[in-house]
Amino acid sequence: MPDHDPEHPGPDPRRQVPGRDPDQGPDPRLIDDLEHGADGPGPARSLVEAYVYLDLVAPGGSEQAAVADGSEGWLVRAGGVEVLVPYEAEETARQAEATFGTGLSALLDPGQWVLVASTYASRALEGGLLLAEDPSDPEGLDTVAADWSFAADAIAEALKFVPEGDAGADGPDPESFWTEMGRSARDAAPGRFTRAKLESDLAFYRQNLADLHRLHAD
């Protein structure tokens, strides 16, 4: 996934997405209809999830994403790919403080979520080294904290696909991996997707976030 500049407006999923009243009608200056094509991807549960999805599948990622406001929700477009984000879904995600949205993703499969988590964890580790050189950098601290938080949230999304009980010991069912990217990740390292491994990664990311806050507490 491409890096984003947190200092400038843009589709960085770590940024707070501008608010909107879900009861507000469409902006006539923008598109008139957000009917999603039957051949397009399923709706996103949040704007953040839409941006992450575009980073995975759209040429150039979400860096140049355009957001149009319409009757049903936002339509996020980039690199010839478009994703519908219903207003109600975004509002629900904000109320629940769910980074990627509530419920099960219809855009990313568990393999992709693990890859997303690894990307953010790698960023956090790299950022942590830079932060150690300059612990007084508040921007660096915020960035590392956001990356650990996103890594944890992404792993939590993968865990949503794991069946309950003994049936989920080996992780999500094979049919849960509906993308070539996700299947390739699982085939390359099936041990990364067991329930125990996913839960261990989640605990590790959350502990790193907690340690970061503790070490840099005022």
Side-chain angles (χ1 to χ4, degrees):
M1 292 181 292
D3 290 327
H4 299 287
D5 183 356
E7 285 301 303
H8 297 86
D12 183 349
R14 292 175 295 195
R15 293 178 57 87
Q16 174 70 33
V17 180
R20 182 189 187 283
D21 182 357
D23 296 326
Q24 179 183 344
D27 186 340
R29 296 172 300 174
L30 300 172
I31 65 173
D32 294 328
D33 195 2
L34 284 184
E35 291 296 331
H36 201 55
D39 295 331
R45 300 166 298 157
S46 69
L47 282 161
V48 176
E49 183 182 42
Y51 293 142
V52 170
Y53 175 76
L54 292 174
D55 280 336
L56 288 176
V57 305
S62 67
E63 194 67 34
Q64 302 299 321
V67 182
D69 185 18
S71 59
E72 296 182 5
W74 289 283
L75 191 61
V76 187
R77 297 188 180 97
V81 181
E82 57 184 38
V83 184
L84 175 67
V85 186
Y87 297 133
E88 183 178 359
E90 173 69 16
E91 183 67 18
T92 299
R94 294 187 192 185
Q95 291 177 353
E97 297 184 350
T99 301
F100 300 111
T102 60
L104 203 63
S105 177
L107 287 180
L108 280 71
D109 69 15
Q112 291 174 303
W113 281 119
V114 168
L115 294 176
V116 169
S118 296
T119 297
Y120 280 112
S122 295
R123 289 181 181 177
L125 289 169
E126 293 174 3
L129 294 176
L130 296 176
L131 188 62
E133 298 178 1
D134 183 10
S136 63
D137 179 15
E139 181 182 324
L141 175 60
D142 290 344
T143 299
V144 175
D147 285 335
W148 281 126
S149 179
F150 268 60
D153 289 342
I155 282 292
E157 290 295 328
L159 275 164
K160 290 181 180 181
F161 289 89
V162 177
E164 296 181 1
D166 294 341
D170 292 331
D173 294 331
E175 57 267 25
S176 297
F177 298 81
W178 67 77
T179 68
E180 181 178 351
M181 183 186 300
R183 288 192 295 269
S184 295
R186 182 180 183 277
D187 292 345
R192 296 177 68 186
F193 296 91
T194 66
R195 178 193 286 138
K197 173 58 175 172
L198 293 174
E199 290 178 342
S200 175
D201 286 347
L202 178 60
F204 176 72
Y205 297 153
R206 287 178 172 171
Q207 186 61 55
N208 275 278
L209 179 59
D211 290 344
L212 181 70
H213 288 310
R214 176 177 53 80
L215 290 173
H216 294 271
D218 292 335

